[in-house]
Short mmCIF file of all heavy atoms in Angstrom, two decimals:
data_model
loop_
_atom_site.label_atom_id
_atom_site.label_comp_id
_atom_site.label_asym_id
_atom_site.label_seq_id
_atom_site.Cartn_x
_atom_site.Cartn_y
_atom_site.Cartn_z
N ARG A 1299 8.56 16.05 23.21
CA ARG A 1299 8.86 14.63 23.26
C ARG A 1299 7.75 13.84 22.56
O ARG A 1299 6.58 14.23 22.61
CB ARG A 1299 9.01 14.17 24.71
CG ARG A 1299 9.40 12.71 24.86
CD ARG A 1299 9.49 12.34 26.32
NE ARG A 1299 10.49 13.14 27.00
CZ ARG A 1299 10.75 13.03 28.31
NH1 ARG A 1299 10.05 12.18 29.06
NH2 ARG A 1299 11.68 13.78 28.86
N MET A 1300 8.13 12.74 21.93
CA MET A 1300 7.16 11.88 21.25
C MET A 1300 6.72 10.76 22.19
O MET A 1300 7.56 10.14 22.85
CB MET A 1300 7.78 11.29 19.98
CG MET A 1300 6.81 10.48 19.14
SD MET A 1300 7.60 9.77 17.69
CE MET A 1300 8.75 8.62 18.45
N TYR A 1301 5.43 10.53 22.22
CA TYR A 1301 4.86 9.49 23.08
C TYR A 1301 4.17 8.44 22.20
O TYR A 1301 3.60 8.77 21.15
CB TYR A 1301 3.85 10.09 24.07
CG TYR A 1301 4.46 11.10 25.02
CD1 TYR A 1301 4.51 12.45 24.68
CD2 TYR A 1301 4.96 10.71 26.25
CE1 TYR A 1301 5.06 13.38 25.55
CE2 TYR A 1301 5.50 11.64 27.13
CZ TYR A 1301 5.55 12.96 26.77
OH TYR A 1301 6.09 13.88 27.63
N TYR A 1302 4.22 7.19 22.69
CA TYR A 1302 3.59 6.09 21.96
C TYR A 1302 2.17 5.84 22.50
O TYR A 1302 1.95 5.86 23.72
CB TYR A 1302 4.40 4.81 22.09
CG TYR A 1302 5.69 4.81 21.30
CD1 TYR A 1302 6.91 4.52 21.91
CD2 TYR A 1302 5.67 5.08 19.94
CE1 TYR A 1302 8.08 4.51 21.18
CE2 TYR A 1302 6.85 5.09 19.20
CZ TYR A 1302 8.05 4.81 19.82
OH TYR A 1302 9.20 4.81 19.09
N PHE A 1303 1.25 5.60 21.56
CA PHE A 1303 -0.13 5.26 21.91
C PHE A 1303 -0.58 4.09 21.05
O PHE A 1303 -0.08 3.89 19.92
CB PHE A 1303 -1.06 6.46 21.71
CG PHE A 1303 -0.85 7.58 22.69
CD1 PHE A 1303 0.06 8.60 22.43
CD2 PHE A 1303 -1.55 7.60 23.89
CE1 PHE A 1303 0.25 9.62 23.34
CE2 PHE A 1303 -1.37 8.62 24.80
CZ PHE A 1303 -0.46 9.63 24.53
N ASP A 1304 -1.53 3.36 21.59
CA ASP A 1304 -2.09 2.21 20.87
C ASP A 1304 -3.18 2.72 19.93
O ASP A 1304 -4.18 3.29 20.37
CB ASP A 1304 -2.66 1.21 21.87
CG ASP A 1304 -3.15 -0.05 21.19
OD1 ASP A 1304 -2.98 -0.17 19.97
OD2 ASP A 1304 -3.68 -0.93 21.92
N PRO A 1305 -3.01 2.53 18.60
CA PRO A 1305 -4.04 3.04 17.67
C PRO A 1305 -5.33 2.23 17.69
O PRO A 1305 -6.37 2.73 17.21
CB PRO A 1305 -3.34 2.94 16.31
CG PRO A 1305 -2.36 1.83 16.48
CD PRO A 1305 -1.91 1.88 17.91
N GLY A 1306 -5.25 1.01 18.22
CA GLY A 1306 -6.46 0.17 18.21
C GLY A 1306 -6.85 -0.21 16.79
O GLY A 1306 -6.01 -0.59 15.95
N ASP A 1307 -8.11 -0.05 16.49
CA ASP A 1307 -8.62 -0.38 15.15
C ASP A 1307 -8.69 0.84 14.24
O ASP A 1307 -9.19 0.74 13.10
CB ASP A 1307 -10.00 -1.03 15.27
CG ASP A 1307 -9.96 -2.35 16.04
OD1 ASP A 1307 -8.89 -3.00 16.01
OD2 ASP A 1307 -10.97 -2.70 16.68
N LEU A 1308 -8.20 1.97 14.74
CA LEU A 1308 -8.28 3.20 13.94
C LEU A 1308 -7.22 3.21 12.85
O LEU A 1308 -6.08 2.76 13.05
CB LEU A 1308 -8.11 4.42 14.85
CG LEU A 1308 -9.16 4.59 15.96
CD1 LEU A 1308 -8.79 5.78 16.84
CD2 LEU A 1308 -10.55 4.79 15.36
N GLN A 1309 -7.59 3.72 11.70
CA GLN A 1309 -6.67 3.87 10.58
C GLN A 1309 -6.05 5.27 10.64
O GLN A 1309 -6.62 6.24 10.14
CB GLN A 1309 -7.39 3.64 9.25
CG GLN A 1309 -8.00 2.26 9.09
CD GLN A 1309 -6.94 1.17 9.11
OE1 GLN A 1309 -5.81 1.35 8.61
NE2 GLN A 1309 -7.29 0.02 9.70
N ILE A 1310 -4.92 5.34 11.30
CA ILE A 1310 -4.27 6.64 11.56
C ILE A 1310 -3.04 6.76 10.66
O ILE A 1310 -2.23 5.82 10.56
CB ILE A 1310 -3.86 6.77 13.04
CG1 ILE A 1310 -5.11 6.62 13.93
CG2 ILE A 1310 -3.18 8.11 13.29
CD1 ILE A 1310 -4.79 6.62 15.40
N THR A 1311 -2.91 7.89 10.02
CA THR A 1311 -1.75 8.17 9.17
C THR A 1311 -0.95 9.33 9.77
O THR A 1311 -1.39 10.03 10.70
CB THR A 1311 -2.19 8.53 7.75
OG1 THR A 1311 -3.04 9.67 7.79
CG2 THR A 1311 -2.94 7.36 7.10
N GLU A 1312 0.21 9.53 9.22
CA GLU A 1312 1.09 10.60 9.71
C GLU A 1312 0.48 11.97 9.44
O GLU A 1312 -0.21 12.18 8.43
CB GLU A 1312 2.45 10.49 9.02
CG GLU A 1312 3.53 11.37 9.63
CD GLU A 1312 4.89 11.09 9.04
OE1 GLU A 1312 5.06 10.02 8.42
OE2 GLU A 1312 5.78 11.95 9.20
N SER A 1313 0.69 12.91 10.38
CA SER A 1313 0.20 14.30 10.37
C SER A 1313 -1.28 14.40 10.69
O SER A 1313 -1.87 15.50 10.56
CB SER A 1313 0.49 14.98 9.03
OG SER A 1313 -0.33 14.47 8.02
N ASP A 1314 -1.91 13.32 11.11
CA ASP A 1314 -3.32 13.39 11.53
C ASP A 1314 -3.39 13.93 12.96
O ASP A 1314 -2.51 13.68 13.80
CB ASP A 1314 -3.98 12.02 11.48
CG ASP A 1314 -4.29 11.58 10.06
OD1 ASP A 1314 -4.21 12.44 9.17
OD2 ASP A 1314 -4.56 10.38 9.85
N GLY A 1315 -4.45 14.65 13.26
CA GLY A 1315 -4.72 15.10 14.62
C GLY A 1315 -5.49 14.04 15.38
O GLY A 1315 -6.43 13.44 14.84
N VAL A 1316 -5.14 13.79 16.64
CA VAL A 1316 -5.80 12.77 17.45
C VAL A 1316 -6.08 13.33 18.83
O VAL A 1316 -5.42 14.28 19.29
CB VAL A 1316 -4.93 11.49 17.57
CG1 VAL A 1316 -4.81 10.79 16.23
CG2 VAL A 1316 -3.55 11.84 18.13
N ILE A 1317 -7.07 12.75 19.46
CA ILE A 1317 -7.40 13.09 20.85
C ILE A 1317 -6.98 11.90 21.70
O ILE A 1317 -7.41 10.76 21.46
CB ILE A 1317 -8.91 13.35 21.01
CG1 ILE A 1317 -9.37 14.46 20.06
CG2 ILE A 1317 -9.22 13.72 22.44
CD1 ILE A 1317 -8.69 15.79 20.27
N VAL A 1318 -6.11 12.15 22.70
CA VAL A 1318 -5.58 11.09 23.55
C VAL A 1318 -5.74 11.51 25.01
O VAL A 1318 -5.94 12.69 25.32
CB VAL A 1318 -4.09 10.81 23.23
CG1 VAL A 1318 -3.92 10.26 21.82
CG2 VAL A 1318 -3.25 12.07 23.42
N GLU A 1319 -5.64 10.52 25.88
CA GLU A 1319 -5.71 10.76 27.32
C GLU A 1319 -4.32 10.57 27.93
O GLU A 1319 -3.70 9.52 27.75
CB GLU A 1319 -6.70 9.80 27.96
CG GLU A 1319 -6.90 10.05 29.45
CD GLU A 1319 -7.88 9.08 30.07
OE1 GLU A 1319 -8.43 8.24 29.33
OE2 GLU A 1319 -8.08 9.17 31.30
N THR A 1320 -3.85 11.58 28.66
CA THR A 1320 -2.55 11.53 29.30
C THR A 1320 -2.73 11.76 30.80
O THR A 1320 -3.86 11.89 31.30
CB THR A 1320 -1.62 12.61 28.71
OG1 THR A 1320 -2.14 13.91 29.03
CG2 THR A 1320 -1.50 12.46 27.19
N SER A 1321 -1.61 11.82 31.50
CA SER A 1321 -1.66 12.08 32.94
C SER A 1321 -2.16 13.48 33.25
O SER A 1321 -2.60 13.75 34.36
CB SER A 1321 -0.27 11.87 33.54
OG SER A 1321 0.66 12.75 32.93
N ARG A 1322 -2.11 14.38 32.28
CA ARG A 1322 -2.58 15.75 32.48
C ARG A 1322 -4.04 15.92 32.07
O ARG A 1322 -4.58 17.01 32.21
CB ARG A 1322 -1.70 16.73 31.69
CG ARG A 1322 -0.27 16.78 32.17
CD ARG A 1322 0.55 17.79 31.41
NE ARG A 1322 0.72 17.41 30.00
CZ ARG A 1322 1.43 18.11 29.12
NH1 ARG A 1322 2.01 19.24 29.50
NH2 ARG A 1322 1.53 17.68 27.87
N GLY A 1323 -4.62 14.87 31.48
CA GLY A 1323 -6.02 14.96 31.05
C GLY A 1323 -6.15 14.68 29.57
O GLY A 1323 -5.26 14.10 28.92
N ILE A 1324 -7.27 15.11 28.99
CA ILE A 1324 -7.52 14.94 27.56
C ILE A 1324 -6.75 16.01 26.79
O ILE A 1324 -6.89 17.22 27.08
CB ILE A 1324 -9.03 15.03 27.25
CG1 ILE A 1324 -9.79 13.97 28.05
CG2 ILE A 1324 -9.28 14.86 25.76
CD1 ILE A 1324 -9.42 12.54 27.70
N GLU A 1325 -5.97 15.59 25.78
CA GLU A 1325 -5.14 16.53 25.04
C GLU A 1325 -5.25 16.26 23.54
O GLU A 1325 -5.59 15.15 23.09
CB GLU A 1325 -3.67 16.44 25.48
CG GLU A 1325 -3.42 16.89 26.91
CD GLU A 1325 -1.95 17.02 27.20
OE1 GLU A 1325 -1.32 17.94 26.63
OE2 GLU A 1325 -1.43 16.20 27.97
N TYR A 1326 -4.90 17.31 22.81
CA TYR A 1326 -4.90 17.25 21.35
C TYR A 1326 -3.45 17.11 20.89
O TYR A 1326 -2.58 17.90 21.29
CB TYR A 1326 -5.52 18.52 20.78
CG TYR A 1326 -5.54 18.60 19.27
CD1 TYR A 1326 -6.65 18.16 18.56
CD2 TYR A 1326 -4.46 19.12 18.56
CE1 TYR A 1326 -6.67 18.24 17.17
CE2 TYR A 1326 -4.48 19.20 17.19
CZ TYR A 1326 -5.58 18.76 16.49
OH TYR A 1326 -5.60 18.82 15.11
N GLY A 1327 -3.16 16.11 20.06
CA GLY A 1327 -1.82 15.88 19.56
C GLY A 1327 -1.80 15.62 18.07
O GLY A 1327 -2.84 15.45 17.43
N GLU A 1328 -0.57 15.58 17.54
CA GLU A 1328 -0.36 15.34 16.11
C GLU A 1328 0.48 14.09 15.94
O GLU A 1328 1.50 13.91 16.64
CB GLU A 1328 0.33 16.54 15.46
CG GLU A 1328 0.53 16.38 13.97
CD GLU A 1328 1.25 17.57 13.36
OE1 GLU A 1328 1.51 18.54 14.11
OE2 GLU A 1328 1.56 17.53 12.16
N VAL A 1329 0.08 13.24 15.01
CA VAL A 1329 0.79 11.99 14.75
C VAL A 1329 2.04 12.32 13.92
O VAL A 1329 1.93 12.88 12.81
CB VAL A 1329 -0.11 10.98 14.01
CG1 VAL A 1329 0.66 9.71 13.68
CG2 VAL A 1329 -1.34 10.65 14.84
N VAL A 1330 3.18 11.99 14.44
CA VAL A 1330 4.44 12.23 13.73
C VAL A 1330 5.08 10.93 13.26
O VAL A 1330 6.04 10.97 12.50
CB VAL A 1330 5.43 13.01 14.63
CG1 VAL A 1330 4.89 14.40 14.92
CG2 VAL A 1330 5.71 12.26 15.92
#
């Protein structure tokens, strides 16, 4: 499933790897 996150001031493009915080903890995801 795809989840929405606030990029803030970061310049994020598609297929970049990001570190986000979820209910399960800190996780590694891919921007689709």
Side-chain angles (χ1 to χ4, degrees):
R1299 183 181 300 179
M1300 185 181 66
Y1301 298 90
Y1302 287 127
F1303 290 90
D1304 185 3
D1307 298 332
L1308 299 175
Q1309 299 297 325
I1310 301 175
T1311 59
E1312 191 172 343
S1313 72
D1314 285 347
V1316 292
I1317 304 299
V1318 295
E1319 184 180 358
T1320 65
S1321 59
R1322 295 182 293 182
I1324 302 297
E1325 294 191 69
Y1326 178 93
E1328 182 181 356
V1329 177
V1330 294

